[in-house]
Amino acid sequence: MHRFDRIDEESQSAPPVTFTGRKTLVAAAVAVVLIAGALVIRPVRAGDDARPPGPSERAAAAVGMGAPAAAVDLTALVADREKWVAAHPDDGASWAVLGSAYLEQARRTADSRWFPKAEKALKRSLDALPAEKGNFDAMTGMGTLANARGDFGTAKKWGELVRAQAPRRWTAYPVLVDAYSGLGDYKAAQKALERLEQLHSGLAARIRASQVYRDRGWREDAVLAMEHAGGAAKSPTEKAYVLFRLGELAWERGETAEALGLYEGALRTDPGGPEALGGRARALAALGRGGEAVRDYRTALGRAPVPRLELELGELLESLGRADEARAPYDVLRTLTARGAADGVNEEVVLGLFEADHADPAAAVRRLSTEWARHKNVQVADALGWALHRNGDDASALEYAKKATDSGMRNAEFSYHRAIIERGLGDEAGSRRHLQEAMRTNPVFSPVRAPAAKEALAAVGKPAPGGPENMQPRTPWVEPELPKPNPKPKPGEKAEPGEKAEPGEKAEPGEKAEPGEKAEPSPSPSPSAD
């Protein structure tokens, strides 16, 4: 056979494989075994579900990470968990989620009636799974609840309990940062933040970093940390909250137009946010748009009745010459703080400032003195100092005003309060310095007190022209009479009467020896030579 014929025969394709029914069954069985083995090696996870998370799932993820949740998602989560725990009352984890959802509802609506519901749900969770057995979600929720109520000592206890049992559980550290800040222990707050940043770098950590930097007076660092929080935000609600906080930082720096833009950005991102609406009202009032500001305040208070916003609205109405209308928000403020106190919410600082300026300064001093015994933070120090001033005790007021302004935080209201207290004590130089600081920090910090600060600054006058070398003393300078130096006697010379011999020197014959020193014997006269 020719070799080319052999090559042609070898190159011919093999006959096709045909599958009989038996072979098909064998192949299918092998495939089933392979798939089952793959599932054993990598079981199905929740993330494998391609469907997007539902409203309740989105809200549960947000509250679990300490982030804001959308109102519609939050409503769905509350309804879902309430239905579940009604059928499964021993599910401690679900009770903890429900308690955290109630807390977020309280934050969004500023309705203190959510707090007792949150406390009840979290305690049910701890009954089902006690703290000793590691119910960290419920313990963290109890700490967050205490911070939201303004009970920072209790929040500290819960946070430290979680940290002691699980030092690497990052959710304990936001609770501790807020608690230490509320107690006025700013160094401990910074240490808790440093540990938080080692364990977690998400939205909650960046927001706490901005808060700590602001309290220390590091304004640029506070802004940068909040901008990083914006990068970590995932939902529109989270981004809107970050924009609101950036607006607050801009407002405190006196950048009113920038703050207004940030508040409006937050409202475009989350139109239902009452916090940003109240911020926009504050900025509009500072820009002289009082009518729009009143409208925004009332809309915001219709969504979330916040006592501080009621106080701001009342003072704005007073500044516009509408004092009769201002009585309505002041009455609402009293009602809200009384209801909050019944629900365990601490609004002593806002109520104390209101009483100091618009009601009973002596009652404000009593209220804020009690609060200072519990929480020695700069907000309480400033409010107590101002209440003491309004009650006529400037000497005591100055001590608390110094605690508020010397901490490092840049706050125009704090500087103004200290300046007026110093003026009452006759310290015009100190008053001028702190009035200027208030105007540099934020020249429109209040519709009532900012104009008063400008008038006070004009009244205290200016320092003498020239530098210190050109300033004349009040009395002529007289050269002081200095003591004349006492010269050391030369060897062989007698010391002046009343002058002591130098240590180590022998006293002259007939001289009295110093105490503790032996006198040299007088030399006997030598016999004269014959």
Side-chain angles (χ1 to χ4, degrees), residues 66-87:
V72 63
D73 294 349
L74 202 54
T75 302
L77 175 62
V78 168
D80 178 71
R81 290 299 90 188
E82 285 179 341
K83 182 179 178 181
W84 176 264
V85 297

Side-chain angles (χ1 to χ4, degrees), residues 221-490:
D221 294 321
V223 172
L224 185 60
M226 192 57 69
E227 289 174 348
H228 287 169
K234 295 179 174 61
S235 69
T237 306
E238 293 174 8
K239 294 183 184 297
Y241 181 73
V242 170
L243 286 170
F244 161 71
R245 294 291 294 266
L246 284 169
E248 294 287 270
L249 292 172
W251 164 258
E252 290 178 354
R253 295 194 307 271
E255 298 169 356
T256 310
E258 181 181 345
L260 178 61
L262 289 163
Y263 293 138
E264 290 180 337
L267 288 169
R268 286 192 297 269
T269 308
D270 181 15
E275 297 167 317
L277 195 56
R280 187 172 76 174
R282 191 182 310 116
L284 289 171
L287 293 171
R289 297 159 64 178
E292 297 172 76
V294 170
R295 175 205 64 200
D296 277 0
Y297 270 126
R298 286 177 171 161
T299 305
L301 289 166
R303 297 177 184 175
V306 180
R308 184 173 290 277
L309 292 183
E310 296 285 3
L311 179 58
E312 291 180 11
L313 173 59
E315 292 184 341
L316 173 61
L317 290 169
E318 283 189 3
S319 72
L320 296 173
R322 298 157 64 176
D324 292 340
E325 292 181 57
R327 284 197 288 269
Y330 292 156
D331 290 341
V332 174
L333 185 151
R334 291 188 182 95
T335 302
L336 290 175
T337 52
R339 182 198 301 167
D343 293 329
V345 182
N346 179 358
E347 294 284 2
E348 296 299 281
V349 171
V350 175
L351 190 54
L353 287 171
F354 164 71
E355 288 179 335
D357 280 327
H358 307 283
D360 185 355
V365 170
R366 292 192 297 271
R367 181 182 302 279
L368 291 166
S369 297
T370 303
E371 180 65 10
W372 177 254
R374 298 175 60 206
H375 303 129
K376 293 179 172 58
N377 59 54
V378 293
Q379 288 79 15
V380 180
D382 168 72
L384 178 54
W386 185 244
L388 286 164
H389 160 74
R390 296 286 295 175
N391 200 43
D393 187 359
D394 282 333
S396 300
L398 183 60
E399 296 304 313
Y400 292 98
K402 287 179 178 179
K403 294 179 188 296
T405 54
D406 292 347
S407 65
M409 182 189 294
R410 302 287 298 278
N411 186 296
E413 190 95 20
F414 292 1
S415 298
Y416 168 75
H417 286 164
R418 177 168 176 176
I420 299 304
I421 293 167
E422 288 171 330
R423 187 183 180 191
L425 292 170
D427 183 3
E428 289 198 354
S431 178
R432 182 188 306 110
R433 181 170 64 255
H434 288 103
L435 285 169
Q436 290 171 340
E437 184 176 332
M439 292 293 98
R440 283 195 304 269
T441 303
N442 184 358
V444 289
F445 64 93
S446 164
V448 174
R449 288 173 290 282
K454 293 177 183 176
E455 292 178 6
L457 185 56
V460 296
K462 298 180 180 180
E469 68 277 4
N470 297 323
M471 297 177 67
Q472 299 297 323
R474 295 182 178 180
T475 56
W477 182 76
V478 177
E479 182 179 1
E481 185 176 351
L482 301 176
K484 295 180 180 180
N486 199 356
K488 180 179 177 182
K490 295 179 182 179

Side-chain angles (χ1 to χ4, degrees), residues 11-32:
S11 63
Q12 290 180 0
S13 58
V17 178
T18 57
F19 286 92
T20 64
R22 183 177 180 181
K23 290 181 178 179
T24 302
L25 289 174
V26 172
V30 171
V32 170

Side-chain angles (χ1 to χ4, degrees), residues 486-490 493-509 511-515 517:
N486 199 356
K488 180 179 177 182
K490 295 179 182 179
E493 287 185 356
K494 290 185 178 180
E496 294 293 327
E499 188 181 320
K500 296 178 181 178
E502 292 292 327
E505 289 185 358
K506 294 180 180 179
E508 292 293 328
E511 216 178 80
K512 193 174 181 181
E514 288 294 318
E517 204 179 89

